[in-house]
Amino acid sequence: MALDDNALKIKLREWKDKQRRDDLKYLGIGAASLLAFLLFWQMAVKTGLANERTLPAPSAIFETFLDKLTDPDPDGNTLGTNIFASLQVSLSGFFAALVIGIPLGLCMGWWTYADRFLRPIFELIRPVPPIAWIPLVVVWMGVGLKAKALIIFFTTFVPCVINSYTGIRLTNQTLINVSKTFGAKNFEIFHKVGIPSAMPMVFAGVRVALGSSWSTLVAAEMLAASAGLGYMIQYGRNVARADIVIVGMLTIGLVGAFLAAMLQFVEKRFLKWKTTR
Amino acid sequence: MMRHAETEAAVADEKNGRPVKISVRNLTKRFGDLLVLDDLTFNIHANEFVCVVGPTGCGKTTFLNCLTRIYEPTSGDLLIDNASADPQKHNISFVFQEPSAFPWLTVEENLAYGLKIKRVAKGEIERRVNQILDLMGLQQFRKSYPGELSVSIEQRVIIGRSFAMRPDLLLMDEPYGQMDVKVRFYLEDEVIRLWKELGSTIVFITHNIEEAVYLAERVIILSNKPACIKEELVLDLPRPRNIAGSEFIQYRKYITDKIKWW
């Protein structure tokens, strides 16, 4: 037995080593592609193939990025302030959508009356592009944080509702029957079977919502803003600073990726039964 | 040597001193014009092991679903201890054909699931879960999720979950339909062991006649749709039963003929 254990341990270590080597290899391939892209870009600019004024070289953009960390010019805020302002807008809209959208979708998916009652309104609102709300929202709440968060809310609300609805609709009927024969009441089945079984779909919806909350940001910050990444991009455009625009774009991309990674971490915790498969 | 008819079964059970636990009275189920169950009447005694066999599609599952009130019967009734069956009042357990462990609960949480619905005291839940974990040899998997287990272990969890309820009535709908022979034999012995140990009343539906003869004290043979009771057959073979014994084979052939010639 002891011998077997040892042999198993050695095998496990070998396997883990191989995994690590593979991981490194794939990471290397990914980095190589990125590096090649940047190199090509840099060459294109330096050889005059692209205009430096409209498409700055990666090295110049990196410089601007470092500058912006401490320098409020030209839009009046450091990069940190802009990120913070944008996060405030997008996350407040995003969380409001989660808190309202997920329970709504779950209820609509479980109770036919709720579905029939709410669906017409939802279907009517759903296809309206969030940006179309801007004029009205300005009239209602001015141009402050609340207004911008509301625009984000309209974008993120829809995937939250739809995925929660679909998720709970897909609940395995056998599991519902098991609970019924044990004598569970409908509400108990809803929260003990319906909700957990909908969770993977709900998380998929949240992931979509997070993505769209971040990508509607620029549109939301077209409302009179004094800080924010969207605002920074707008400003960079007005003063014809392509490097500022690109730094804004990249920062949106990076922060978005970071948020997505955080969400994935939470999801892994929450759906342990799914991911340990 | 073959004894038929309900009266004889009743006589046999009066001798054993087992009272009537479940009483099915004129159970009829229609879906629109389609008559599925036609006037079924029979009794099941406390601690009895009954198998229900019948041709495929004869309405066996509908029959079970009426017993658990997933479907309301069109007419007739099912009485448990002389009261109309009600899952919220009575303790009914059901092992379904499909794997039905909750994937988001660990093995021990799955075992405790029904007990929590019945609001059993915490200490008692813990005691019973532990007992089942021991009986089914699941201790080493108690923290695992069903997705990490093989199908046969998952099925053991499901069967354990039903037995943990100490049900008034345990219904099993072809629980071993998707298992290979080895696992099936093993789980059949398991179910007999649990039945003897815990004294449950079991209705076991199967289309596998050998399985029915191996398990049952009494076999109820259903006819083709619309299902009515074709015959009841008391099997008084000693246990463990020898599937190659001549009496065993005789019973098996007899039931097979009954199902074949409708």
Side-chain angles (χ1 to χ4, degrees), chain A residues 8-88:
Chain A
L8 271 178
K9 264 186 199 144
I10 291 169
K11 280 274 179 228
L12 181 68
R13 189 151 2 108
E14 273 173 13
W15 182 78
K16 273 190 175 159
D17 281 349
K18 191 180 172 317
Q19 286 282 305
R20 206 169 310 137
R21 274 201 305 279
D22 279 355
D23 282 352
L24 223 61
K25 192 171 72 188
Y26 292 128
L27 204 68
I29 294 174
S33 116
L34 207 60
L35 220 64
F37 174 71
L38 289 176
L39 205 69
F40 175 76
W41 182 356
Q42 183 86 15
M43 296 280 280
V45 176
K46 290 293 167 203
T47 55
L49 214 64
N51 184 351
E52 206 165 339
R53 247 179 53 81
T54 53
L55 182 67
S59 56
I61 290 167
F62 188 64
E63 249 171 69
T64 312
F65 176 78
L66 290 182
D67 268 359
K68 273 305 284 179
L69 288 179
T70 50
D71 185 4
D73 268 351
D75 53 293
N77 307 290
T78 61
L79 193 58
T81 317
N82 281 330
I83 292 175
F84 179 73
S86 290
L87 276 178
Q88 222 181 350

Side-chain angles (χ1 to χ4, degrees), chain B residues 151-186:
Chain B
V151 178
S152 71
I153 296 179
E154 184 181 346
Q155 198 67 0
R156 258 148 79 187
V157 174
I158 295 163
I159 292 165
R161 181 176 67 194
S162 296
F163 274 102
M165 300 296 289
R166 307 272 166 78
D168 296 320
L169 174 60
L170 173 55
L171 301 163
M172 304 179 88
D173 184 9
E174 295 184 29
Y176 308 144
Q178 291 154 18
M179 317 251 149
D180 68 33
V181 173
K182 190 180 149 208
V183 176
R184 218 186 64 218
F185 282 170
Y186 174 74

